[in-house]
Amino acid sequence: MKKYLSFFRLRFVMGLQYRVAALAGIVTQFVWGAMEIMIFRAFYQTDSAAFPMTLSATSSYIWLQQAFLAFFIAWMMESEIFDSIVNGNIAYELCRPVSIYNMWFARSIANRLSRAVLRCFPILLVAVFIPEPYGIAAPASFLHFILFLITLILGLMVMVSLCMLIYVLTFFTVSPQGLRILFNSTVEFFSGALIPLPFFPEKVQRIMELLPFASTQNVALRVYSGSMSRNEMEKAIVLQVFWLAVITLIGKGLCKAAEKRVTVQGG
Amino acid sequence: MITMEHVCKSYRIAKRNAGFGEACKALFHREYETIHALSDVSFSIHDGEMVGYIGPNGAGKSSTIKILSGILTPDSGTVLVDGRIPYRNRLEHVSRIGVVFGQRSQLWWDVPVIDSFALLKDIYSIPNTQYQQSLEELTELLDLKELLRSPARQLSLGQRMRCEIAASLLHRPRILFLDEPTIGLDAVSKLAVREFILKQNKTFGTTVILTTHDMQDIEALASRIILIGKGRILMDGTLDDIKKGNGDIDRTIAELYRSYEIS
């Protein structure tokens, strides 16, 4: 366990070095968040009763999404991992007494966490001072806040375990490009990154909520503003744990199979 | 004790001729060629031996090292390193060996070398006192004092290679695999690396297997030479066996390759 913590630490510290990138990210996310809220405002002005979430809840959803973008964005995968498979540096990683899967998992979590830590506070701080209903509202209750934190972490882990599948599959496909493109658009659409899932037609939504992609950002961002019933929240958390277990197991199995038939590229 | 018996390993390689038309054709029908990197390789190496593993490019040297270090799984044959099957219990095996791939880097690019070392300490679960001791020894022998605090990306090739070798020895492995450890080094660094490897072998009885194209490495280090060509072991003996008179070592080896028709 200690070795994976060390990986985590090193990666985390490395991530904190990139200050300019963080600043640029913060600005982008502000503009993006403001733009989204303006679009939603226009929709709400026509008929606010037609929407499943209040404008205030939607605004909170969007600001939290922007603040924790690094947790849930699909394309934020580590090029170093892909490179090591494609150019053969994986040879060195296989020479270490560590599980490849656990090591990559630890560093992916660390990477996303370090980026989010740098970015979330300025965004949240400013969003708090934006007037109702365009800013971020207080959580529905203290319990909702605690549940928000738990589902946020669970969502991050589900996201990383999904990315792990792509890393591991690269062992079999030689180049990661095709898989990544497919993965990115699937996750964006089904996770509620483009539009919150409640905005989809009810039948579609019901199926989407069962998919592993919904167990990433969808749960935490909706729990926060209290727009899920107690029953729905319970179901969502169980699903998160379920998908985390299933996807991790599949990933580990694939990783084992890959290690057996690995070919080190480039001599 | 390292033994390899009747080990075979082959790769499948997609091949096509040059040109756009050929590339389009390959979209629908791909031709594969099977390359036998190792065919029926057998040898055994005793504890404390220093073995030079030589052969022309593409002979199967690196494949052998990768099988011995548990990275690749052979198609057939048996491999035993100190009673362990490398590719079967990879985690247990690799904690007791050290590997240096001269063409690759194991140091973290963006952080000071000493941070990479500290990470390796945790990876191999090296006790504090032993780590300090190893670090001091290696720092002195490989002259690393000035290098440890700089990020790996800012070191020259020779400086980095010295750090790479130190990184592979922190956990005091009893067996050391060196895949072209002196590639691209200047004369001073080469001498330092050679001297260091010799000392490791003398003091700790470390078994060393090294592949190289630099015949001076072989002259300085290897008491035994295994020659491989086209995936087969062609000769297993000492430097004196192949040396005739006082001829130039590179010439002698080239002659040898030619006589086996492997170059």
Side-chain angles (χ1 to χ4, degrees):
Chain A
M1 195 60 209
K2 191 173 171 213
K3 11 184 145 169
Y4 304 111
L5 277 178
S6 307
F7 260 112
F8 179 86
R9 209 174 45 223
L10 185 64
R11 192 73 211 172
F12 188 77
V13 171
M14 265 170 83
L16 292 181
Q17 286 179 43
Y18 307 111
R19 285 171 304 186
V20 178
L23 196 66
I26 290 169
V27 173
T28 315
Q29 274 137 47
F30 254 118
V31 175
W32 191 264
M35 204 177 69
E36 267 194 83
I37 288 172
M38 281 194 280
I39 295 171
F40 274 108
R41 179 173 162 261
F43 287 139
Y44 275 92
Q45 272 175 345
T46 18
D47 181 9
S48 61
F51 290 93
M53 285 159 74
T54 62
L55 181 57
S56 163
T58 308
S59 298
S60 297
Y61 183 102
I62 289 169
W63 287 122
L64 286 173
Q65 183 182 51
Q66 295 307 314
F68 294 100
L69 194 78
F71 272 20
F72 298 119
I73 205 78
W75 46 258
M76 220 184 70
M77 288 194 254
E78 288 186 63
S79 50
E80 269 176 50
I81 294 183
F82 290 118
D83 290 347
S84 80
I85 299 173
V86 171
N87 68 23
N89 263 337
I90 183 78
Y92 259 129
E93 311 211 9
L94 286 166
C95 286
R96 310 251 176 264
V98 288
S99 137
I100 297 281
Y101 189 94
N102 296 353
M103 177 177 76
W104 285 351
F105 197 96
R107 63 183 271 186
S108 300
I109 295 262
N111 193 23
R112 284 176 184 268
L113 203 60
S114 65
R115 290 190 194 217
V117 162
L118 277 184
R119 281 151 224 232
C120 71
F121 294 112
I123 295 179
L124 292 178
L125 200 70
V126 174
V128 163
F129 289 106
I130 298 175
E132 274 277 308
Y134 306 116
I136 186 169
S141 73
F142 183 68
L143 178 72
H144 280 91
F145 182 67
I146 298 294
L147 284 176
F148 161 74
L149 290 181
I150 294 173
T151 50
L152 188 71
I153 298 299
L154 277 172
L156 168 65
M157 286 164 79
V158 173
M159 190 64 222
V160 169
S161 68
L162 282 169
C163 290
M164 286 298 298
L165 288 182
I166 306 297
Y167 294 138
V168 172
L169 284 172
T170 306
F171 274 115
F172 301 92
T173 59
V174 181
S175 160
Q177 289 314 328
L179 269 175
R180 281 182 79 172
I181 292 170
L182 190 70
F183 178 74
N184 289 351
S185 25
T186 315
V187 171
E188 291 270 296
F189 186 75
F190 285 100
S191 69
L194 292 174
I195 314 166
L197 294 189
F199 288 77
F200 283 92
E202 207 192 318
K203 277 187 185 153
V204 180
Q205 188 201 341
R206 222 178 288 154
I207 297 169
M208 282 172 112
E209 280 184 341
L210 290 177
L211 298 178
F213 311 108
S215 288
T216 57
Q217 55 183 310
N218 165 58
V219 186
L221 302 189
R222 280 167 64 199
V223 162
Y224 180 87
S225 56
S227 60
M228 276 170 122
S229 72
R230 194 199 154 113
N231 192 6
E232 280 176 318
M233 286 196 288
E234 273 171 11
K235 224 168 87 185
I237 293 176
V238 170
L239 262 176
Q240 278 190 312
V241 175
F242 170 78
W243 280 122
L244 179 61
V246 169
I247 299 168
T248 313
L249 276 180
I250 295 175
K252 284 199 164 201
L254 276 174
C255 195
K256 208 158 239 171
E259 280 176 37
K260 283 269 176 300
R261 43 157 286 170
V262 63
T263 48
V264 175
Q265 304 191 47
Chain B
M1 179 84 177
I2 298 169
T3 50
M4 280 187 110
E5 274 168 21
H6 312 296
V7 171
C8 300
K9 175 83 193 170
S10 54
Y11 303 108
R12 212 165 65 125
I13 296 175
K15 294 225 158 159
R16 67 168 174 82
N17 294 323
F20 182 71
E22 287 288 331
C24 290
K25 223 167 83 190
L27 283 175
F28 302 100
H29 175 74
R30 220 160 266 193
E31 271 173 48
Y32 288 99
E33 191 178 333
T34 308
I35 304 279
H36 296 282
L38 298 176
S39 31
D40 198 19
V41 168
S42 306
F43 59 76
S44 71
I45 293 166
H46 293 282
D47 289 346
E49 262 191 298
M50 294 241 260
V51 178
Y53 198 55
I54 61 170
N57 300 118
K61 301 185 297 292
S62 293
S63 294
T64 312
I65 297 284
K66 279 169 196 147
I67 287 175
L68 285 173
S69 48
I71 298 170
L72 296 181
T73 311
D75 298 338
S76 64
T78 53
V79 184
L80 273 181
V81 179
D82 284 345
R84 298 181 302 265
I85 301 172
Y87 48 89
R88 193 130 321 144
N89 345 32
R90 184 177 69 82
L91 294 194
E92 199 208 331
H93 176 67
V94 293
S95 61
R96 282 162 211 202
I97 60 166
V99 189
V100 175
F101 295 109
Q103 309 186 34
R104 308 191 183 282
S105 179
Q106 62 181 319
L107 302 169
W108 286 57
W109 207 236
D110 284 333
V111 297
V113 175
I114 191 75
D115 276 2
S116 288
F117 284 8
L119 181 64
L120 288 170
K121 167 182 180 286
D122 289 337
I123 288 178
Y124 286 100
S125 319
I126 308 171
N128 257 329
T129 46
Q130 190 196 323
Y131 172 74
Q132 287 305 338
Q133 215 177 341
S134 298
L135 188 62
E136 258 167 50
E137 276 172 28
L138 292 167
T139 307
E140 192 180 326
L141 287 170
L142 288 165
D143 195 16
L144 303 180
K145 208 165 176 217
E146 302 300 314
L147 311 179
L148 289 179
R149 282 152 47 88
S150 347
R153 65 183 138 86
Q154 280 167 338
L155 299 179
S156 76
L157 181 63
Q159 291 172 331
R160 209 189 72 216
M161 189 58 69
R162 291 195 329 252
C163 296
E164 300 272 355
I165 292 176
S168 295
L169 285 163
L170 284 171
H171 60 294
R172 294 191 187 158
R174 299 215 31 246
I175 302 173
L176 189 56
F177 298 115
L178 304 169
D179 195 358
E180 305 193 32
T182 56
I183 195 166
L185 298 193
D186 69 13
V188 180
S189 307
K190 256 185 203 174
L191 286 177
V193 166
R194 280 181 202 147
E195 208 169 296
F196 173 77
I197 296 170
L198 265 180
K199 208 174 244 166
Q200 278 287 311
N201 174 264
K202 285 248 165 64
T203 344
F204 300 105
T206 314
T207 312
V208 180
I209 299 180
L210 102 153
T211 77
T212 179
H213 291 293
D214 185 328
M215 290 310 149
Q216 270 88 40
D217 283 351
I218 296 287
E219 239 174 344
L221 295 174
S223 47
R224 178 178 163 199
I225 292 177
I226 297 176
L227 171 67
I228 185 172
K230 292 191 178 151
R232 291 173 193 285
I233 301 278
L234 299 170
M235 198 207 76
D236 188 345
T238 63
L239 194 60
D240 295 330
D241 290 348
I242 43 174
K243 241 183 169 177
K244 291 173 195 107
N246 292 328
D248 174 53
I249 179 82
D250 277 317
R251 230 170 265 278
T252 319
I253 297 290
E255 202 94 320
L256 190 68
Y257 286 179
R258 257 177 241 132
S259 73
Y260 283 111
E261 296 180 338
I262 53 173
S263 64

